[in-house]
Amino acid sequence: MKFGGTSMAGSERIRRVANIVRRQQAAGHEVAVVVSAMAGETDRLVGFCREANPLYDPAEYDVVVASGEQVTSGLLALTLQSLGCKARSWLGWQLPIHTDDAHAKARIEGIDSEALLASMAAGEIAVIPGFQGLSDAGRVTTLGRGGSDTSAVAVAAGIGADRCDIYTDVDGVYTTDPRIVAKARKLKYVTYEEMLELASVGSKVLQTRSVSLAMKEGVRVQVLSSFIDDDATPADEIPGTLIVSDEELEGLDMERQLITGIAADKNEAKIILTRVPDRPGAVATIFGPLAQANINVDMIIQNVGRDKGETDVTFTVPSADLLRAQTLLEAQKEAIGYNRIITDGKVAKISVVGVGMKSHAGVAATMFRALADRGINIQAISTSEIKVSVLIDEDETELAVRVLHTAYEMDADEAA
Amino acid sequence: MKFGGTSMAGSERIRRVANIVRRQQAAGHEVAVVVSAMAGETDRLVGFCREANPLYDPAEYDVVVASGEQVTSGLLALTLQSLGCKARSWLGWQLPIHTDDAHAKARIEGIDSEALLASMAAGEIAVIPGFQGLSDAGRVTTLGRGGSDTSAVAVAAGIGADRCDIYTDVDGVYTTDPRIVAKARKLKYVTYEEMLELASVGSKVLQTRSVSLAMKEGVRVQVLSSFIDDDATPADEIPGTLIVSDEELEGLDMERQLITGIAADKNEAKIILTRVPDRPGAVATIFGPLAQANINVDMIIQNVGRDKGETDVTFTVPSADLLRAQTLLEAQKEAIGYNRIITDGKVAKISVVGVGMKSHAGVAATMFRALADRGINIQAISTSEIKVSVLIDEDETELAVRVLHTAYEMDADEAA
């Protein structure tokens, strides 16, 4: 079980969490719990580090910021004890949770679970601070912001857990953002691949890294709310959304819809380079420098050139990197040999996602027709095995999502 | 070097501390620094523990409260780095600082200093969180409130430091409390034994435990202020008070006064049991139960009985334990066989302390005469090799201290 910072913010909420945990133990489960720092605490600690040294040494930064989860793990263990449970905390260096030495953005390499399993078998609830680990050099590491989800999945894999329940402030994964579409439906199941597409294009329920790790390790992850009325649901029921493999999904959900969800991402910006020479290596001169500068390029579309031997190249980068990308490309104008650079920060990427899509050709057609019917102009298209994405004007984001949600017959009352 | 919570309270103060540390390194010293948590932080964390579980498990309490010093050690390392120094933090479990497993009040058993010495020899300033250690079971321990002074002395002993400088909010040890006697003088030197007597009777500059450890390990401790004007004193001068052995003192301070200091303690309460049977074992029936209840008995005076075969017994306990002691003794009335119990919470213990006293019989006489001249009634007397203490009415505390400070010719203008 993993609880985020909002769930751990203060004694009263920690008591709520402890009750949820106790209930799972009472239902016969051996339980390990991964916790985040209290909401706001990590920001406070990062602020101290910045004040101490704007160019901070990430190894010492890790010493400071890892303390937030240390506090909440001790407090949850104490609170569980006050409810009559046996419980103890296991800090990152105590298990240990082995990571590489990339301080402030470390990757988990493995977990020694022997002592943990023995303690759990003896009826002790294990409470583990998320976000932290130990490098081979014996120093504290952290996984980067939001790393506690990844910690939880790694612990679940390490102990061979039946399930990794990630408690958040939403009660599951929805067909789309319920703030945009009131008729959005909560999904009972979603595959790792779908979750990755939904997460990376804007449904920020879980850290992408944690979903990748769950897929690699075959950990069944459930997303659910820590604010549900606990006594209303049997402990063994799945009140949230279960993230599973393709194979497991087939057994669980025979009557699955073609499309699982619709995601919108406003954090993309579009760049067009006009009249790029259509010769081998031209594209490399564009994207090489961007890659070196750690700028992620997402969609890439090469349009047919108006003149022979030339082509327009359109691509997207994160909005935050637009200026940097533009500066870089302008410096490379000679080398690339383009005519003009056109940028647009006000675009949105709308994606329809679903494993069912693999065997259905009509998905893209439905999408294009539905958008065209409402006069929404498609600026670019990109597809993957389980996704079709289009780039549109940012102002039309909500309209497009609603239109598509209806077009794919996902609205809640229609499904009912 | 050790810095307390007031010195570590916030980025600006930590920068001040870093400058003081850098100055010592610039003067050619290899430096290890022990830090407390930011002022108020440990109270905040203890508050969380109490809310989580009033009867808290001290092992988990330690996990929570040790985080405060972890934060400041990382921040000081970062700040030193921002000043161009090489620096790194060494957490209690990293050195490790070995302690017993008496969580929340652990005792240091030893320090592995090999890696620390290698790092310091390479020019790195070592920053070590005070107050924390590691038990043989591999769990976080803490030394009890104020334990950072003890950590500092233990580290100094472990690395064979020339000196352990403890920075506080006072600039040294005074002949008596300067808030009571304006003419109190700062002492240049004081012996471990004197410091113990001065500390345990009310001059709360250093934790008693840290002084005992310094005496046992022969660590030269300097008490000085972290708020002095640093640039005004050469780095090698002793601006505070140096605590040393008797032997070293003799070489340093030939013209030493008979009396080193005067301490007052208002936290004592007096208990008189009247007409206790004067037979073997009677005293044991009084103090056995008190010892079992962890009530410290300080002064004990057995007066001559008015009637044959009976005696009055007077003793003192901490004010905070007076009610508990009274209840215990009333329950034992039959067993002890006393007639009446008389208690007085409004008493003060005044002590004159000095190693010179060993060879001077007149000290006590001077004390009694000076107090009698001002009409201050002495309720009880107790002596040790380097101390004479009297119990008086609490209202006369300040008067008695001033009278004695003058009587022993310690007033600043007289000494000059």
Side-chain angles (χ1 to χ4, degrees), chain A residues 118-288:
Chain A
S119 155
M120 290 171 69
E124 266 183 349
I125 296 170
V127 185
I128 300 159
F131 181 56
Q132 64 179 237
L134 184 72
S135 72
D136 285 346
R139 301 208 63 182
V140 175
T141 55
T142 68
L143 310 183
R145 296 303 293 269
S148 289
D149 287 349
T150 308
S151 300
V153 172
V155 169
I159 62 178
D162 295 326
R163 213 171 64 218
C164 176
D165 283 357
I166 298 195
Y167 288 79
T168 66
D169 48 5
V170 298
D171 64 350
V173 181
Y174 276 73
T175 50
T176 193
D177 187 340
R179 286 167 304 181
I180 298 178
V181 180
K183 290 177 177 172
R185 281 183 302 111
K186 194 176 79 182
L187 295 162
K188 217 165 162 136
Y189 307 101
V190 65
T191 69
Y192 300 121
E193 290 88 345
E194 288 172 336
M195 192 64 201
L196 280 173
E197 294 291 1
L198 290 170
S200 63
V201 293
S203 300
K204 299 207 176 54
V205 177
L206 285 185
Q207 282 295 109
T208 306
R209 272 169 76 186
S210 67
V211 181
S212 301
L213 184 64
M215 180 161 75
K216 179 168 159 268
E217 300 285 343
V219 174
R220 303 167 77 233
V221 175
Q222 182 184 193
V223 174
L224 69 175
S225 167
S226 55
F227 297 100
I228 48 160
D229 178 7
D230 213 39
D231 296 321
T233 355
D236 279 335
E237 202 176 284
I238 302 287
T241 299
L242 197 64
I243 311 172
V244 295
S245 65
D246 277 19
E247 296 70 39
E248 185 173 353
L249 181 71
E250 276 174 37
L252 287 168
D253 195 7
M254 297 295 289
E255 304 192 34
R256 203 147 194 278
Q257 311 256 340
L258 208 59
I259 300 298
T260 306
I262 299 169
D265 183 4
K266 295 182 177 182
N267 294 315
E268 301 236 344
K270 184 177 67 169
I271 298 178
I272 306 174
L273 300 182
T274 66
R275 302 179 65 180
V276 176
D278 190 10
R279 55 169 165 75
V283 174
T285 59
I286 300 172
F287 299 113

Side-chain angles (χ1 to χ4, degrees), chain A residues 11 15 44 51-53 56-57 60 63 67 70-71 77-79 81-82 88-89 93-94 138-140, chain B residues 11 15 44 51-53 56-57 60 63-64 67 70-71 77-79 81-82 88-89 93-94 138-140:
Chain A
S11 303
R15 191 159 300 273
R44 189 176 81 103
E51 283 170 21
N53 191 343
Y56 49 70
D57 170 9
E60 296 299 340
V63 168
S67 68
Q70 176 169 333
V71 168
L78 287 171
T79 309
Q81 290 171 358
S82 79
R88 76 154 277 191
S89 62
W93 56 269
Q94 283 173 327
R139 301 208 63 182
V140 175
Chain B
S11 302
R15 190 159 300 273
R44 188 176 81 104
E51 283 170 23
N53 191 342
Y56 48 69
D57 170 8
E60 296 300 339
V63 167
V64 175
S67 68
Q70 176 170 335
V71 168
L78 287 171
T79 309
Q81 290 171 357
S82 79
R88 76 154 279 193
S89 62
W93 56 267
Q94 284 174 325
R139 302 208 63 182
V140 175

Side-chain angles (χ1 to χ4, degrees), chain B residues 218-242:
Chain B
V219 175
R220 300 167 79 234
V221 175
Q222 181 184 195
V223 174
L224 70 176
S225 167
S226 56
F227 297 101
I228 47 161
D229 179 7
D230 214 38
D231 295 321
T233 353
D236 278 335
E237 202 177 283
I238 303 288
T241 299
L242 198 64

Side-chain angles (χ1 to χ4, degrees), chain B residues 5 38 47 58 70 73 130 136 149 152 173 176 201 212 232 265-266 309 312 325 357 362 367 382 403 410:
Chain B
M38 293 189 192
Q70 176 170 335
S73 61
D136 284 347
D149 288 348
V173 181
T176 193
V201 293
S212 302
D265 184 3
K266 295 184 178 182
D312 288 358
M357 188 181 298
M367 185 177 196
S382 113
V403 163
M410 300 170 84

Side-chain angles (χ1 to χ4, degrees), chain B residues 250-296:
Chain B
E250 276 174 36
L252 288 167
D253 196 6
M254 295 296 289
E255 304 192 36
R256 200 146 196 279
Q257 310 256 340
L258 207 61
I259 298 300
T260 306
I262 298 170
D265 184 3
K266 295 184 178 182
N267 295 315
E268 300 237 343
K270 185 177 68 171
I271 298 177
I272 305 174
L273 300 182
T274 65
R275 301 180 66 179
V276 176
D278 190 10
R279 54 170 166 74
V283 175
T285 59
I286 298 171
F287 299 112
L290 294 176
Q292 274 191 319
N294 269 320
I295 297 173
N296 276 330

